[in-house]
Amino acid sequence: MKDTQEFFERNPAPSPEFLKTPFPMAPKEEDGGEIACCGPPAGPRSGANEKPGYLVWPFVEEFVQTPAGDTPRVRTRLSLLDRFLAAGARLGIARNSHKVAPGLYTLGLPGPESPVLVTANYKLSFDAVRSSMEGRSAWLLVVDTRGINVWCAAGKGSFSADEVTRQVVRTRLDLAVSHRTLILPQLSAPGVAARKVRRATGFTVQWGPIRAGDLPRYLDQGNKADPAMRQVSFTLGERVVLLPVEISMVLKPVALVILAGFLVSGIGHGGYSLAAAWHRGWVFATGILLAILAGAAVTPLALPRLPFTAFSAKGAVVGAVMGATYALYVSGGWMAGWALVLLMAAFSSYLAMNFTGATPFTSGSGVEKEMRRAIPFQTLAVLGGAVAWIAGGFV
Amino acid sequence: MKDFRYLSGVASLRVDEEKCVGCGDCLEVCPHGVLKVEKGKATAVDHDACMECGACAKNCPAGAISLTPGVGCAAYIIQTWLKGRGGVSCC
Ligand code: SF4
Ligand code: SF4
């Protein structure tokens, strides 16, 4: 208080004449008041939807007033940002941040009779639904599946009758619509008992198509799915998008294997040789990287064309063929050649076996049976390959 | 999906004909067209295509379907071998 008094004592109020002189850097009236004093021109005034502490997703077009409260209306066209984020999700970047807030959204301008589509709060699932609904009106109820896609969330139990119930109640969906029907993705059925949802909320579950792209046809047919809509597919395109995550998941253990490879590659006749470690180490490392390609990329892509039904066998074939080709190409002696074939077949086989988890048709019992048979062979091949590789330093 | 067949004779899916009331709810949720209702009872017409997802069992009002709900995922199974079935998460 004392300081302010002192300030005013030392600085008397400015004279009325002084107040009339314009601030030298302010925009002049003759410029239309448009020229900024510094930096780029200012953007538009903050939108009416902005609230302190919140960030409005760019996919929200506006907030509409509905009987269930202010509801974000989302765009049905994906933006460049959406595509960029989707690519990040596919590459496994920031895996836990591809979420949208659970709750009620609108597509177009739905009324009390409009259908209610339910999906997971994984951004890619949400995007798939809204982008398939261009030019249509519907309610979109997003369930808190912890940012996991429909199928995995149903398997883990986070896409469940309880979670659906929670969102139906929390959003007051009963006020927004006059009917009592929810359309759930069929692939959520392993986690959702439809009758439990009805008992808890009064809403009847109808099973929508597996692929969001079939939604318009499903709705046009009066909520009826063709047999094809009820069957999963596993096309080449659907396999391609899985590869980056498959590969990124094995990079860490593979780095250790390669490091070990460099270390043992130096063992030979005259004791330990750094030059040999470097030279043979590179041959080894390249072989292991090729084995990843064989097991985590070539095998998944060529899946239906490869012999055998067991994934480990398919992967072993690809790994062995690529290993033999590579061994002939580097021609480091027959012992090292056999080592490469064995090691690459084993690694490729293991990675191919791991790919079972990403497919929509392998049963747990089947995979377990396959593993009980394959793992002993894979272990033997790795041991044999390692011994042969070290022995290859002596021949 | 005809191009993709997995090991045969392993799926743990069983339909208890005694309990089944023939409502057909299980057919609707199956992503592999495994089940059909014949003469008022559900039967597995393509048993080997079953991936044990558990959708049918979860939605059978009569509790007529039993299976070992598994995840067909090697990494998951290794974890169950090491730590037992509890406390393991899939993909
Ligand atoms: S467990 Fe899944 S794949 Fe097997 S019959 Fe039931 S719904 Fe079909
Ligand atoms: S859902 Fe259950 S009761 Fe209904 S047909 Fe299938 S097995 Fe039978």
Side-chain angles (χ1 to χ4, degrees):
Chain A
M1 216 31 185
K2 192 163 161 278
D3 290 350
T4 21
Q5 254 171 23
E6 269 175 33
F7 177 85
F8 282 117
E9 274 160 25
R10 268 189 280 114
N11 299 282
S15 68
E17 289 75 41
F18 176 79
L19 284 176
K20 275 195 205 117
T21 50
F23 179 55
M25 283 161 91
K28 299 194 175 58
E29 256 168 57
E30 57 263 37
D31 297 331
E34 283 296 321
I35 296 174
C37 59
C38 52
R45 180 172 284 277
S46 287
N49 298 325
E50 288 179 39
K51 272 196 218 171
Y54 294 85
L55 203 63
V56 182
W57 273 101
F59 58 66
V60 175
E61 194 144 18
E62 59 177 342
F63 284 77
V64 287
Q65 288 209 342
T66 73
D70 278 359
T71 312
R73 185 159 85 88
V74 296
R75 292 172 211 278
T76 50
R77 197 163 297 166
L78 299 185
S79 66
L80 218 59
L81 176 70
D82 293 323
R83 289 175 203 282
F84 180 75
L85 290 175
R90 294 294 187 196
L91 292 169
I93 297 166
R95 289 191 85 183
N96 297 321
S97 63
H98 299 279
K99 292 184 194 180
V100 294
L104 189 63
Y105 296 78
T106 79
L107 293 155
L109 291 168
E113 309 284 330
S114 301
V116 180
L117 308 175
V118 181
T119 194
N121 77 327
Y122 181 50
K123 175 104 183 351
L124 265 57
S125 307
F126 177 80
D127 285 356
V129 175
R130 66 187 173 99
S131 63
S132 71
M133 290 290 287
E134 195 163 351
R136 290 167 183 266
S137 291
W139 302 92
L140 180 55
L141 188 72
V142 176
V143 175
D144 189 358
T145 59
R146 323 295 142 83
I148 295 167
N149 70 49
V150 172
W151 173 245
C152 280
K156 286 184 189 213
S158 58
F159 201 142
S160 63
D162 287 350
E163 285 297 334
V164 174
T165 302
R166 179 164 302 145
Q167 293 308 326
V168 169
V169 172
R170 196 181 76 101
T171 59
R172 300 306 318 263
L173 184 68
D174 56 327
L175 299 178
V177 293
S178 55
H179 62 78
R180 290 293 176 262
T181 303
L182 301 173
I183 299 173
L184 264 68
Q186 187 193 329
L187 284 187
S188 68
V192 180
R195 61 189 183 286
K196 271 183 79 181
V197 175
R198 198 185 48 220
R199 231 179 285 142
T201 65
F203 279 83
T204 304
V205 169
Q206 290 197 343
W207 298 110
I210 286 180
R211 286 163 295 271
D214 288 333
L215 272 169
R217 220 149 55 83
Y218 172 85
L219 294 170
D220 289 345
Q221 295 173 357
N223 298 2
K224 290 261 174 323
D226 311 338
M229 289 185 199
R230 292 250 170 271
Q231 302 249 339
V232 281
S233 53
F234 202 39
T235 60
L236 186 64
E238 286 169 318
R239 278 174 276 149
V240 166
V241 296
L242 298 174
L243 303 188
V245 168
E246 287 296 310
I247 293 173
S248 68
M249 282 200 307
V250 297
L251 289 182
K252 231 189 250 169
V254 158
L256 293 177
V257 170
I258 288 180
L259 195 69
F262 271 107
L263 288 178
V264 301
S265 291
I267 306 169
H269 307 292
Y272 199 85
S273 143
L274 274 181
W278 183 247
H279 176 71
R280 295 188 73 229
W282 273 113
V283 175
F284 180 88
T286 311
I288 297 300
L289 292 176
L290 285 172
I292 299 182
L293 206 64
V298 176
T299 308
L301 291 181
L303 203 60
R305 313 209 169 274
L306 294 170
F308 305 112
T309 36
F311 283 44
S312 48
K314 289 173 188 276
V317 170
V318 177
V321 169
M322 281 176 62
T325 315
Y326 176 61
L328 290 176
Y329 172 74
V330 292
S331 58
W334 63 272
M335 189 64 107
W338 274 109
L340 286 172
V341 173
L342 283 172
L343 289 171
M344 286 174 66
F347 278 109
S348 172
S349 169
Y350 184 79
L351 294 176
M353 197 171 75
N354 252 324
F355 188 66
T356 51
T359 72
F361 67 100
T362 54
S363 63
S365 303
V367 177
E368 188 153 358
K369 180 177 177 189
E370 156 164 7
M371 289 170 70
R372 285 191 193 286
R373 280 211 210 141
I375 288 180
F377 284 109
Q378 290 163 350
T379 314
L380 276 180
V382 167
L383 291 177
V387 170
W389 184 255
I390 295 170
F394 294 89
V395 292
Chain B
M1 232 30 221
K2 293 280 163 279
D3 294 345
F4 298 97
R5 301 295 295 189
Y6 197 48
L7 308 191
S8 51
V10 287
S12 55
L13 175 79
R14 297 285 173 272
V15 183
D16 185 340
E17 294 219 341
E18 298 272 290
K19 290 188 187 162
C20 175
V21 296
C23 66
D25 286 1
C26 53
L27 326 187
E28 227 192 345
V29 292
C30 178
H32 286 287
V34 170
L35 298 151
K36 266 218 173 73
V37 173
E38 283 170 357
K39 298 194 196 108
K41 299 286 173 191
T43 40
V45 289
D46 191 1
H47 196 265
D48 288 340
C50 174
M51 67 180 295
E52 300 178 334
C53 68
C56 51
K58 189 102 189 175
N59 282 283
C60 171
I65 299 180
S66 62
L67 54 88
T68 321
V71 186
C73 168
Y76 171 84
I77 291 169
I78 289 179
Q79 286 189 60
T80 62
W81 285 350
L82 297 177
K83 302 186 208 156
R85 282 221 171 232
V88 183
S89 70
C90 80
C91 42

